[in-house]
Amino acid sequence: MSTRQPILRAEDLHVWFDLPGDSELHAVQGVSFELRPGERMGLVGESGCGKTTTILALMGLLPASASVAGRVHLEGEDILAKGEESVSPHRWKDIAMVFQGAMNAFNPVKTIGSQIAEPMELHGTATGRAARAQVRELLELVGISGERAERYPHEFSGGMRQRAAIALALACEPHVLLADEPTTALDVMVQAQILELLVRLTRDLGLAMILVTHDLPVVAQVCDRAAVMYAGEIVEMGQMTTIYHDPRHPYTRMLFAATPDLLGDEDVLSIPGAPPRLDHEIVGCPFTPRCDSAFAPCPTAHPRRLEVAPGHEALCHLNDHLVAERPA
Amino acid sequence: MQRSDYILKRTLFALLTVFVAITLNFVLFRALPGDAVTGLKCHNCTIQFKNALRKDLGLDKSKWQQYVIYLKDLAHGDMGTTFISHRPVRGELWDPIKKTVAMIGLGTVFSIVFGIFTGVISAWRRGTVLDKVSVWTGLAFYSVPTQWLGLMIVYFVADRIGLPHGGIQSPDYGILGNPGTLDFLKDRIEHMILPALTLGLVLYGDYTLIVRSAMLETLGEDYVLTARAKGMSNWAIVWKHGFRNAMLPVVTLIALSLGFILGGAITIEYVFDYPGIGLAIVDAIDKRDYAFLQGAFLALTLSVILFNFIADLLYFKLDPRVTT
Ligand SMILES: Nc1ncnc2c1ncn2[C@@H]1O[C@H](COP(=O)(O)OP(=O)(O)OP(=O)(O)O)[C@@H](O)[C@H]1O
Ligand SMILES: [Mg+2]
């Protein structure tokens, strides 16, 4: 494992959304993790578990209806400390993202090239002719011919737009890339190409990346580490190989077991039941109703986060015996 | 499909529509019970006189022959002669149309400029007092009947700001020697302001609401969040990523509404006794002046087609996706 300082560190991150009628939705509930330079981490979980919300919180891009607590350190600096003022100088320059549904991330009435050049000009990394030259280079880098910079989004196929969105994220040479489901809505062949591209880019440019997906096998292919989210919490996190061979949370095990549907509808996970609603407090372990190994403490006590092995943590009562053996 | 083909296609389509409009204009007037001469009222309108007149106008020929003659005359720019003043319809139409176009032009510019301005601000500052005031003002002007607003302006505003209640020329105009061009313009514009304001306010209500909702929709798009993430300031986002996209539906709606205004300013012209095309049409209906009416309706139809065509071209200019 790398001993270098983490480039990105989230500490006890919480996000609440104000809902109409005085209620709140606790979308992210105490997420903490570290990302080291050059590392690829997968953030996995079912729809609605808070992946996008976590990513947007890291970027300081949540809507006004959201309140955030916790700290996010980017290269040692707390970028959420003073709200917009402290994030905006880093956003896109040091930490950039590929949006979920990046297909619509481009304005239909402006050329792709001008939109990729925009962040360069806004952050002053390149202007005018230099910016245009860089745009071409970036497009070539993601496998699009440089001449296509003058084209409009509707003239790009879905896969090309996704590539262009990646080029856009790389515009100011960030050190951290957050990719939110960059391959959803693409066909399998294109998916594989995009994943390969992301691996190549992170390796060649020394980028650290968080890859958000609800497809654990994809993470297994691409990432060094994985964090599994359920109901706003990271329920298991560790090296990819460890998690694969020795999952310590039933949810992780069931995610691996849930193979993609043969009919091609890969969004369907075959874990019975649905995740709990997050707009009221959950007593006990939120996974209890769907868990195949639930026992006495599960419905009443929230499990503790335990390091089950070095660099491998899980949030499940099944691991409680470790505490008895090893006094904390 | 090539983008350049689009203009050709739109042009051909517009021309075809013009042809259909001309034909319909012919057919509708022949489909009315009676003909141009039947309703004519005068002291010496005996049967013999009317028959002679029919022959004179070519109404004794078959409908098909009449249609061919109508097309031929139109092609030469000849729209016939008015029944009452016996002058060419074209000239008789042109004068009131000029006056109406000047008046609604003024009102429209007012409404577009202010409508877009407050619509954008209102969307940008959604939910604030400013937004609420703007929406309610817009709704009020949008829902008020035009003639009522006109009357209120005549009663309560005209005298206070010293503008004429109606007409198009001051009674004392030209009495003291020959007025110069400047005096003429000043007099005309003074008479135009209040009717133009009335129209402008009503249209303003319409436009500001449309612009606001188009803008709100655009500001919710994914690419707006992208722009924010890239580091763009709020105002730059509104201007560079919101405005042009929001203008797409707005341009079409405005152009379409403009096409109809030429004929739709009748109530305003009536209230302000402004001698534009609307009043001329009312007058011609009173006098059963078929030739004039036929010409006027054709002109109004052509204006709708023209503005549709302009809307198509603008859309083409603004939206790179348009190809068909
Ligand atoms: N703007 C918002 N206002 C209110 N609730 C929100 C908002 N955005 C997200 N949520 C809620 O927060 C929770 C987490 O949503 P989030 O989009 O982060 O999930 P996700 O893991 O990214 O899911 P998906 O795989 O569908 O993208 C969900 O319950 C969602 O309904
Ligand atoms: Mg998401």
Side-chain angles (χ1 to χ4, degrees):
Chain A
M1 212 206 294
S2 169
T3 51
R4 283 184 286 175
Q5 281 298 306
I7 190 166
L8 180 71
R9 195 170 82 227
E11 260 175 59
D12 201 24
L13 196 62
H14 287 263
V15 178
W16 295 265
F17 286 109
D18 268 338
L19 296 181
D22 228 24
S23 57
E24 268 184 343
L25 190 151
H26 199 174
V28 175
Q29 316 188 354
V31 163
S32 306
F33 64 82
E34 292 182 347
L35 185 72
R36 287 168 204 288
E39 191 177 42
R40 290 188 291 272
M41 183 172 94
L43 190 58
V44 212
E46 283 166 289
S47 193
C49 68
K51 306 181 297 290
T52 301
T53 309
T54 305
I55 295 290
L56 290 178
L58 297 177
M59 297 279 295
L61 279 178
L62 286 166
S65 65
S67 30
V68 185
R71 285 161 301 282
V72 174
H73 294 272
L74 181 70
E75 293 168 318
E77 187 186 337
D78 188 348
I79 54 170
L80 294 188
K82 289 201 215 103
E84 184 67 14
E85 193 190 321
S86 43
V87 215
S88 58
H90 298 285
R91 199 193 284 141
W92 227 259
K93 213 171 167 197
D94 298 316
I95 182 168
M97 75 180 286
V98 181
F99 285 93
Q100 178 167 11
M103 315 278 258
N104 306 320
F106 289 99
N107 187 335
V109 306
K110 290 166 167 269
T111 62
I112 293 276
S114 72
Q115 297 187 62
I116 298 180
E118 249 173 22
M120 300 177 185
E121 273 151 21
L122 287 165
H123 292 278
T125 56
T127 51
R129 189 178 302 230
R132 279 200 294 280
Q134 266 191 36
V135 167
R136 282 164 169 269
E137 265 173 47
L138 276 172
L139 286 177
E140 302 275 356
L141 189 66
V142 298
I144 299 175
S145 133
E147 287 128 46
R148 295 210 140 231
E150 306 305 319
R151 297 302 184 86
Y152 290 93
H154 73 277
E155 297 173 288
F156 281 50
S157 70
M160 278 169 67
R161 245 182 282 177
Q162 194 64 55
R163 285 166 190 271
I166 295 172
L168 173 66
L170 300 178
C172 297
E173 302 177 11
H175 308 138
V176 180
L177 182 66
L178 311 175
D180 194 356
E181 311 210 14
T183 59
T184 324
L186 296 176
D187 68 57
V188 185
M189 287 293 290
V190 183
Q191 254 187 36
Q193 289 167 4
I194 299 282
L195 291 174
E196 205 177 304
L197 173 70
L198 284 172
V199 171
R200 179 165 62 77
L201 287 174
T202 47
R203 201 182 48 219
D204 295 355
L205 305 175
L207 271 173
M209 173 170 83
I210 297 182
L211 177 69
V212 171
T213 171
H214 40 228
D215 199 351
L216 195 49
V218 162
V219 175
Q221 261 175 17
V222 173
C223 299
D224 315 310
R225 263 189 339 134
V228 179
M229 266 189 104
Y230 189 77
E233 290 176 304
I234 292 185
V235 294
E236 180 159 12
M237 177 161 64
Q239 292 301 310
M240 196 60 237
T241 42
T242 326
I243 288 202
Y244 182 78
H245 292 294
D246 184 22
R248 301 300 286 269
H249 195 291
Y251 182 58
T252 315
R253 179 165 42 76
M254 290 164 91
L255 269 186
F256 270 119
T259 42
D261 190 36
L262 274 183
L263 293 174
D265 194 354
E266 301 189 30
D267 293 358
V268 179
L269 291 172
S270 46
I271 303 177
R277 296 171 49 141
L278 300 175
D279 53 358
H280 51 79
E281 208 178 327
I282 299 166
V283 182
C285 170
F287 192 56
T288 313
R290 304 169 72 189
C291 188
D292 57 3
S293 335
F295 63 116
C298 299
T300 49
H302 194 277
R304 276 199 280 167
R305 187 172 302 282
L306 291 175
E307 189 162 34
V308 293
H312 182 182
E313 57 183 58
L315 198 65
C316 176
H317 285 299
L318 287 175
N319 304 310
D320 282 350
H321 62 277
L322 296 175
V323 188
E325 291 163 15
R326 285 189 297 143
Chain B
M1 177 94 191
Q2 283 290 305
R3 250 170 88 74
S4 51
D5 287 353
Y6 174 87
I7 297 184
L8 187 70
K9 213 169 127 183
R10 286 291 118 187
T11 313
L12 287 178
F13 184 72
L15 290 177
L16 183 72
T17 323
V18 167
F19 179 74
V20 172
I22 288 173
T23 308
L24 275 180
N25 198 39
F26 174 85
V27 172
L28 285 179
F29 273 83
R30 310 298 128 155
L32 293 173
D35 61 23
V37 178
T38 319
L40 222 50
K41 290 187 203 96
C42 52
H43 291 302
N44 48 358
C45 288
T46 56
I47 301 287
Q48 289 84 345
F49 172 81
K50 285 192 173 178
N51 281 339
L53 189 58
R54 283 207 172 89
K55 190 154 186 165
D56 198 30
L57 291 170
L59 293 178
D60 53 341
K61 299 206 176 69
S62 78
K63 291 273 152 67
W64 185 246
Q65 279 170 314
Q66 290 182 37
Y67 178 58
V68 174
I69 295 171
Y70 175 66
L71 285 184
K72 256 192 205 150
D73 285 351
L74 261 188
H76 292 106
D78 179 2
M79 302 173 93
T81 315
T82 62
F83 285 11
I84 313 302
S85 58
H86 299 287
R87 274 186 277 200
V89 170
R90 197 161 59 143
E92 291 291 280
L93 272 176
W94 185 231
D95 184 57
I97 285 184
K98 258 191 326 203
K99 289 174 181 154
T100 298
V101 165
M103 188 265 285
I104 62 178
L106 194 65
T108 308
V109 168
F110 168 87
S111 61
I112 290 180
V113 170
F114 283 93
I116 289 180
F117 184 70
T118 57
V120 168
I121 300 265
S122 181
W124 182 36
R125 288 272 173 254
R126 178 185 196 175
T128 60
V129 180
L130 198 69
D131 177 31
K132 290 196 178 109
V133 170
S134 166
V135 167
W136 283 105
T137 319
L139 269 176
F141 282 127
Y142 177 62
S143 25
V144 133
T146 318
Q147 62 275 28
W148 183 83
L149 183 64
L151 284 172
M152 291 303 114
I153 287 182
V154 169
Y155 282 137
F156 296 113
V157 182
D159 283 335
R160 259 180 227 177
I161 57 176
L163 285 171
H165 295 174
I168 194 164
Q169 205 165 68
S170 307
D172 55 359
Y173 175 80
I175 285 181
L176 306 167
N178 228 0
T181 322
L182 225 63
D183 297 321
F184 171 77
L185 274 181
K186 182 168 168 284
D187 190 52
R188 272 293 159 91
I189 289 174
E190 275 179 359
H191 283 85
M192 236 155 54
I193 287 179
L194 290 184
L197 181 70
T198 310
L199 178 77
L201 286 175
V202 171
L203 290 179
Y204 163 80
D206 198 357
Y207 294 169
T208 192
L209 294 175
I210 293 172
V211 169
R212 178 178 179 274
S213 73
M215 202 66 202
L216 280 180
E217 191 169 320
T218 317
L219 291 180
E221 296 282 354
D222 286 352
Y223 53 78
V224 169
L225 183 62
T226 314
R228 202 176 129 214
K230 287 173 185 174
M232 213 173 239
S233 69
N234 269 336
W235 181 241
I237 290 173
V238 166
W239 183 242
K240 291 191 180 157
H241 284 278
F243 188 69
R244 182 155 160 210
N245 301 65
M247 279 308 106
L248 295 178
V250 173
V251 158
T252 323
L253 284 169
I254 291 184
L256 290 185
S257 80
L258 285 186
F260 287 103
I261 291 173
L262 193 56
I266 293 184
T267 46
I268 291 180
E269 294 183 357
Y270 207 88
V271 169
F272 288 94
D273 197 22
Y274 186 88
I277 185 70
L279 271 196
I281 288 176
V282 173
D283 200 37
I285 292 175
D286 266 352
K287 295 176 179 151
R288 305 280 187 278
D289 195 335
Y290 265 65
F292 184 85
L293 282 177
Q294 199 171 11
F297 287 175
L298 187 61
L300 298 190
T301 322
L302 291 185
S303 90
V304 174
I305 297 174
L306 175 71
F307 278 101
N308 258 304
F309 183 60
I310 293 177
D312 282 341
L313 293 188
L314 277 175
Y315 214 109
F316 177 73
K317 183 91 184 63
L318 288 175
D319 190 344
R321 284 167 297 184
V322 170
T323 51
T324 44

